[in-house]
Amino acid sequence: MTFKYLITGATGGLGKQVLNYFTANVPLSEFAAASSNAANRSIFENRGIAFRHVNYDDPQSLKMGLRDVENLLLVSTGAKHRAEQHASVIEAAKDAGVKHIWYTSLAFGGFQATSKAPVMQDHLFTEKLLEESGLTYTSIREGVYAECFTVFLDWYPERSGTITLPADGEVAYTSRAELGEATARIMIAGRYENQIVLFTAEETITGREIIDIINETTGRQIKLDLVSREEYLHSWMRDPRGKPREHFEMIATVWDEIVRGALCTTHPLLREVLGREPTKPRDFVRKLMEEDRNYVFQY
């Protein structure tokens, strides 16, 4: 059976949002959901949604899962070897005759390819592979999920007193649900062939402003302490959670990029595709904290 659309990562945070929009707006016969876990089949089939087993590390599942698919949503993974995984999917898509790959990238650097963030290097690599593949593609550079502001601040509910960071700056945090909806909308519309598009909120927010919102909504009295990068990296030795130095290096690298302006680019396309104003970062954070004063991001 041929499917017009195949949505990978359909149990994940973004893929689930894309699938929800498809379920509400597209005949079930036109699309299928995919997961790396074959045991998830019943989750979808119980809803009347066709299922394909697609494991990026399993060539046979790629061969079988991508056959008779016209539009493939390639949701990027969080694996350390994601570049190799993405290369495998693209090659399998070529072999299977997929017509269009829709790839979920990141918005580090806006439309530029100059970001030094390690997490962005795999996305730039994948975009290059797509460009060279001969396949029609659309790379969707997504603003940082508004839901993951706790990761950037390295804040957790048990933490009180002071949040220590190596820097502060502007970030265009963007709702994951709105990113999912907009992704589904452009897939259905079938536009933006062989392009990079940028989906972001239209405002930015700083770490200090987020901390103010946390304090206002929860009654906490958290303060922000900005220290040198070197001092921040040494804080792993005092971390009550026992996080390794690599954890602090990751956060410091992200803030290096923020200071360079890598995540402050905004663009009107998300508003145009949604047909409404995207949720402002400050409104998103406030609502989250009002609903759950102990909120933490779940990957």
PDB file of all heavy atoms in Angstrom, residues 17 37 62 64 77 87 98 128 148 199 203 236 249 295:
ATOM      1  N   GLN A  17       3.136  15.607  17.742  1.00  0.00           N
ATOM      2  CA  GLN A  17       2.363  16.802  17.388  1.00  0.00           C
ATOM      3  C   GLN A  17       2.035  16.822  15.899  1.00  0.00           C
ATOM      4  O   GLN A  17       0.931  17.201  15.496  1.00  0.00           O
ATOM      5  CB  GLN A  17       3.138  18.060  17.778  1.00  0.00           C
ATOM      6  CG  GLN A  17       3.439  18.193  19.251  1.00  0.00           C
ATOM      7  CD  GLN A  17       2.208  18.352  20.105  1.00  0.00           C
ATOM      8  OE1 GLN A  17       1.137  18.748  19.619  1.00  0.00           O
ATOM      9  NE2 GLN A  17       2.320  18.051  21.388  1.00  0.00           N
ATOM     10  N   ASN A  37      10.557   1.363  17.534  1.00  0.00           N
ATOM     11  CA  ASN A  37      10.155   0.241  18.381  1.00  0.00           C
ATOM     12  C   ASN A  37       8.953  -0.454  17.766  1.00  0.00           C
ATOM     13  O   ASN A  37       7.853   0.085  17.752  1.00  0.00           O
ATOM     14  CB  ASN A  37       9.824   0.746  19.782  1.00  0.00           C
ATOM     15  CG  ASN A  37       9.537  -0.375  20.767  1.00  0.00           C
ATOM     16  OD1 ASN A  37       9.431  -1.543  20.383  1.00  0.00           O
ATOM     17  ND2 ASN A  37       9.400  -0.028  22.031  1.00  0.00           N
ATOM     18  N   LEU A  62      14.558  -0.085   7.449  1.00  0.00           N
ATOM     19  CA  LEU A  62      14.513   1.078   6.558  1.00  0.00           C
ATOM     20  C   LEU A  62      14.037   0.671   5.172  1.00  0.00           C
ATOM     21  O   LEU A  62      13.205   1.350   4.551  1.00  0.00           O
ATOM     22  CB  LEU A  62      15.895   1.730   6.467  1.00  0.00           C
ATOM     23  CG  LEU A  62      16.393   2.466   7.711  1.00  0.00           C
ATOM     24  CD1 LEU A  62      17.838   2.918   7.521  1.00  0.00           C
ATOM     25  CD2 LEU A  62      15.497   3.667   8.017  1.00  0.00           C
ATOM     26  N   MET A  64      12.148  -1.897   4.293  1.00  0.00           N
ATOM     27  CA  MET A  64      10.738  -2.268   4.292  1.00  0.00           C
ATOM     28  C   MET A  64       9.850  -1.093   4.693  1.00  0.00           C
ATOM     29  O   MET A  64       8.768  -0.898   4.137  1.00  0.00           O
ATOM     30  CB  MET A  64      10.511  -3.437   5.249  1.00  0.00           C
ATOM     31  CG  MET A  64      11.306  -4.690   4.912  1.00  0.00           C
ATOM     32  SD  MET A  64      10.917  -5.330   3.266  1.00  0.00           S
ATOM     33  CE  MET A  64       9.219  -5.864   3.513  1.00  0.00           C
ATOM     34  N   THR A  77      17.288  12.574  15.284  1.00  0.00           N
ATOM     35  CA  THR A  77      17.409  11.824  16.527  1.00  0.00           C
ATOM     36  C   THR A  77      18.323  12.542  17.502  1.00  0.00           C
ATOM     37  O   THR A  77      19.015  13.496  17.149  1.00  0.00           O
ATOM     38  CB  THR A  77      17.964  10.414  16.276  1.00  0.00           C
ATOM     39  OG1 THR A  77      19.380  10.504  16.045  1.00  0.00           O
ATOM     40  CG2 THR A  77      17.296   9.767  15.079  1.00  0.00           C
ATOM     41  N   ALA A  87      22.260   9.667   7.470  1.00  0.00           N
ATOM     42  CA  ALA A  87      22.805   9.245   6.172  1.00  0.00           C
ATOM     43  C   ALA A  87      22.176   7.933   5.727  1.00  0.00           C
ATOM     44  O   ALA A  87      21.851   7.758   4.538  1.00  0.00           O
ATOM     45  CB  ALA A  87      24.325   9.102   6.263  1.00  0.00           C
ATOM     46  N   VAL A  98      11.406   7.395  -2.466  1.00  0.00           N
ATOM     47  CA  VAL A  98      10.715   8.491  -1.773  1.00  0.00           C
ATOM     48  C   VAL A  98      10.858   9.763  -2.603  1.00  0.00           C
ATOM     49  O   VAL A  98      11.932  10.055  -3.132  1.00  0.00           O
ATOM     50  CB  VAL A  98      11.302   8.694  -0.354  1.00  0.00           C
ATOM     51  CG1 VAL A  98      10.761   9.966   0.285  1.00  0.00           C
ATOM     52  CG2 VAL A  98      11.004   7.491   0.533  1.00  0.00           C
ATOM     53  N   LYS A 128      23.508  18.989   4.003  1.00  0.00           N
ATOM     54  CA  LYS A 128      24.405  18.835   2.851  1.00  0.00           C
ATOM     55  C   LYS A 128      24.116  17.521   2.121  1.00  0.00           C
ATOM     56  O   LYS A 128      24.080  17.476   0.883  1.00  0.00           O
ATOM     57  CB  LYS A 128      25.863  18.882   3.318  1.00  0.00           C
ATOM     58  CG  LYS A 128      26.894  18.874   2.188  1.00  0.00           C
ATOM     59  CD  LYS A 128      28.291  19.110   2.750  1.00  0.00           C
ATOM     60  CE  LYS A 128      29.319  19.250   1.632  1.00  0.00           C
ATOM     61  NZ  LYS A 128      29.513  18.009   0.871  1.00  0.00           N
ATOM     62  N   CYS A 148      12.051  23.465  26.672  1.00  0.00           N
ATOM     63  CA  CYS A 148      13.345  23.036  27.220  1.00  0.00           C
ATOM     64  C   CYS A 148      14.141  24.188  27.833  1.00  0.00           C
ATOM     65  O   CYS A 148      15.360  24.083  27.994  1.00  0.00           O
ATOM     66  CB  CYS A 148      14.160  22.305  26.162  1.00  0.00           C
ATOM     67  SG  CYS A 148      14.944  23.352  24.940  1.00  0.00           S
ATOM     68  N   PHE A 199      11.374  28.213  11.299  1.00  0.00           N
ATOM     69  CA  PHE A 199      10.195  28.350  12.150  1.00  0.00           C
ATOM     70  C   PHE A 199      10.637  28.825  13.531  1.00  0.00           C
ATOM     71  O   PHE A 199      11.339  28.097  14.251  1.00  0.00           O
ATOM     72  CB  PHE A 199       9.480  27.007  12.317  1.00  0.00           C
ATOM     73  CG  PHE A 199       8.618  26.580  11.162  1.00  0.00           C
ATOM     74  CD1 PHE A 199       8.225  25.257  11.039  1.00  0.00           C
ATOM     75  CD2 PHE A 199       8.176  27.485  10.220  1.00  0.00           C
ATOM     76  CE1 PHE A 199       7.424  24.841   9.991  1.00  0.00           C
ATOM     77  CE2 PHE A 199       7.372  27.092   9.154  1.00  0.00           C
ATOM     78  CZ  PHE A 199       6.992  25.764   9.046  1.00  0.00           C
ATOM     79  N   GLU A 203       9.441  36.684  19.128  1.00  0.00           N
ATOM     80  CA  GLU A 203      10.079  37.443  20.190  1.00  0.00           C
ATOM     81  C   GLU A 203      11.147  36.584  20.851  1.00  0.00           C
ATOM     82  O   GLU A 203      11.152  35.357  20.692  1.00  0.00           O
ATOM     83  CB  GLU A 203       9.058  37.906  21.250  1.00  0.00           C
ATOM     84  CG  GLU A 203       8.074  38.941  20.743  1.00  0.00           C
ATOM     85  CD  GLU A 203       7.190  39.483  21.853  1.00  0.00           C
ATOM     86  OE1 GLU A 203       7.411  39.117  23.032  1.00  0.00           O
ATOM     87  OE2 GLU A 203       6.279  40.267  21.546  1.00  0.00           O
ATOM     88  N   TRP A 236      30.928  21.662  38.251  1.00  0.00           N
ATOM     89  CA  TRP A 236      30.499  20.265  38.252  1.00  0.00           C
ATOM     90  C   TRP A 236      30.966  19.543  39.527  1.00  0.00           C
ATOM     91  O   TRP A 236      30.310  18.601  39.989  1.00  0.00           O
ATOM     92  CB  TRP A 236      31.028  19.537  37.016  1.00  0.00           C
ATOM     93  CG  TRP A 236      32.493  19.233  37.030  1.00  0.00           C
ATOM     94  CD1 TRP A 236      33.495  20.056  36.616  1.00  0.00           C
ATOM     95  CD2 TRP A 236      33.122  18.033  37.471  1.00  0.00           C
ATOM     96  NE1 TRP A 236      34.712  19.442  36.759  1.00  0.00           N
ATOM     97  CE2 TRP A 236      34.517  18.191  37.291  1.00  0.00           C
ATOM     98  CE3 TRP A 236      32.653  16.831  38.001  1.00  0.00           C
ATOM     99  CZ2 TRP A 236      35.437  17.224  37.624  1.00  0.00           C
ATOM    100  CZ3 TRP A 236      33.574  15.848  38.337  1.00  0.00           C
ATOM    101  CH2 TRP A 236      34.937  16.047  38.148  1.00  0.00           C
ATOM    102  N   GLU A 249      29.937  21.336  30.184  1.00  0.00           N
ATOM    103  CA  GLU A 249      30.536  21.754  28.917  1.00  0.00           C
ATOM    104  C   GLU A 249      29.479  21.939  27.846  1.00  0.00           C
ATOM    105  O   GLU A 249      29.551  22.873  27.041  1.00  0.00           O
ATOM    106  CB  GLU A 249      31.571  20.718  28.472  1.00  0.00           C
ATOM    107  CG  GLU A 249      32.818  20.702  29.332  1.00  0.00           C
ATOM    108  CD  GLU A 249      33.765  19.578  28.970  1.00  0.00           C
ATOM    109  OE1 GLU A 249      33.318  18.626  28.274  1.00  0.00           O
ATOM    110  OE2 GLU A 249      34.949  19.642  29.361  1.00  0.00           O
ATOM    111  N   TYR A 295       7.857  22.150  37.070  1.00  0.00           N
ATOM    112  CA  TYR A 295       8.026  21.667  35.700  1.00  0.00           C
ATOM    113  C   TYR A 295       9.503  21.454  35.362  1.00  0.00           C
ATOM    114  O   TYR A 295      10.370  22.255  35.698  1.00  0.00           O
ATOM    115  CB  TYR A 295       7.434  22.664  34.704  1.00  0.00           C
ATOM    116  CG  TYR A 295       7.818  22.375  33.270  1.00  0.00           C
ATOM    117  CD1 TYR A 295       7.146  21.415  32.553  1.00  0.00           C
ATOM    118  CD2 TYR A 295       8.885  23.036  32.668  1.00  0.00           C
ATOM    119  CE1 TYR A 295       7.509  21.106  31.243  1.00  0.00           C
ATOM    120  CE2 TYR A 295       9.263  22.751  31.360  1.00  0.00           C
ATOM    121  CZ  TYR A 295       8.564  21.790  30.652  1.00  0.00           C
ATOM    122  OH  TYR A 295       8.944  21.484  29.373  1.00  0.00           O
TER     123      TYR A 295
END
